[in-house]
Amino acid sequence: MTLRVLLADDQALLRSAFRLLLDSADDITVVGEAADGREAVHLTRRLRPDVVVMDIRMPDLDGLAATTQICADPDLQATRILVLTTYETDEYVAQALRAGAGGFIGKGIGAEALLDAVRTIADGDTLLSPAATRSLVARFLATPDAPPSHAPEELATLTPREREMVTLVATGLSNQEIADRMYLSPFTVRAHVQRAMTKLHARDRAQLVVIAYQSGLAPR
């Protein structure tokens, strides 16, 4: 099945470069381009893409506000948002995740990594770049008095391999990177990560990272 993608970025040159790259994949096609957040919301409602690759800093309506509107629209629940930005700050990461974005990566990402990110987001997974993960962790560690949200008995339900996967996720590694490191298939890694999320009641990969630090599975 071909994934339908909408590009939202105020820089025409970048949109052209991203379109060329995404359209080069057999399973991805760009169905539209938006130069600002308001146009991104309008085109998403009209075109119903599988994934919106969303910049943050855009005129008229920024990417975070556009993401909030799209994710709040019950008719657009099937559309996933991948935030692609130059600014991987803790505030932007937190706002994007609160708005409902499924992923947050930097514009310095490689070509193959961007294609994989679009596929990952379209598949319903959450994706955070290592820099975004570090920002999320830094924001969490800035509030050390936050109470632990998961009891020891919940952690005890994890298998040794699942605990290992959670620790690696907390470093910002993608499923593919974990698979390469552990000599496993990405499908096996994904299964372990999803089982860990279910056992720990994590709604997404970002919350799993926070749980890893709260529980001590990841070193501070």
Side-chain angles (χ1 to χ4, degrees):
M1 185 179 67
T2 301
L3 299 177
R4 304 172 70 255
V5 176
L6 173 70
L7 297 174
D9 196 300
D10 63 332
Q11 298 184 49
L13 185 60
L14 281 179
R15 291 201 311 272
S16 297
F18 291 149
R19 174 185 277 274
L20 187 63
L21 170 61
L22 294 172
D23 279 341
S24 70
D26 293 336
D27 59 336
I28 299 174
T29 185
V30 175
V31 296
E33 297 182 22
D36 58 58
R38 201 168 303 283
E39 187 179 17
V41 174
H42 170 72
L43 289 178
T44 300
R45 287 172 174 156
R46 182 164 67 85
L47 300 174
R48 304 297 174 93
D50 299 300
V51 177
V52 179
V53 178
M54 183 82 74
D55 187 24
I56 289 182
R57 292 192 173 183
M58 293 187 290
D60 192 14
L61 189 73
D62 67 30
L64 294 174
T67 296
T68 299
Q69 290 190 23
I70 292 170
C71 293
D73 190 332
D75 292 331
L76 300 177
Q77 290 183 354
T79 296
R80 301 272 288 164
I81 308 294
L82 173 62
V83 174
L84 182 62
T85 180
T86 307
Y87 309 97
E88 296 180 79
T89 65
D90 59 347
E91 183 60 31
Y92 279 156
V93 174
Q95 287 185 42
L97 295 174
R98 282 198 300 267
F104 194 107
I105 56 178
K107 286 184 177 178
I109 191 173
E112 286 302 319
L114 177 57
L115 294 175
D116 288 340
V118 169
R119 296 179 183 116
T120 297
I121 292 300
D123 206 28
D125 288 341
T126 301
L127 180 69
L128 293 175
S129 69
T133 299
R134 287 192 296 269
S135 294
L136 182 68
V137 170
R139 189 177 183 85
F140 166 71
L141 294 181
T143 55
D145 295 332
S149 60
H150 292 78
E153 56 267 24
E154 291 178 306
L155 299 174
T157 64
L158 298 180
T159 66
R161 180 50 62 87
E162 288 165 356
R163 292 172 72 93
E164 188 175 24
M165 294 295 173
V166 173
T167 300
L168 291 172
V169 166
T171 68
L173 295 179
S174 67
N175 286 354
Q176 182 62 60
E177 289 168 331
I178 295 173
D180 293 340
R181 177 176 295 197
M182 303 298 296
Y183 302 102
L184 299 170
S185 76
F187 300 103
T188 300
V189 171
R190 181 185 179 193
H192 284 305
V193 172
Q194 287 186 329
R195 280 198 293 269
M197 289 174 62
T198 299
K199 290 179 179 180
L200 297 177
H201 309 292
R203 65 178 178 273
D204 54 35
R205 202 178 186 92
Q207 190 177 30
L208 189 63
V209 170
V210 172
I211 291 170
Y213 281 85
Q214 283 181 318
S215 65
L217 290 178
R220 298 194 179 196

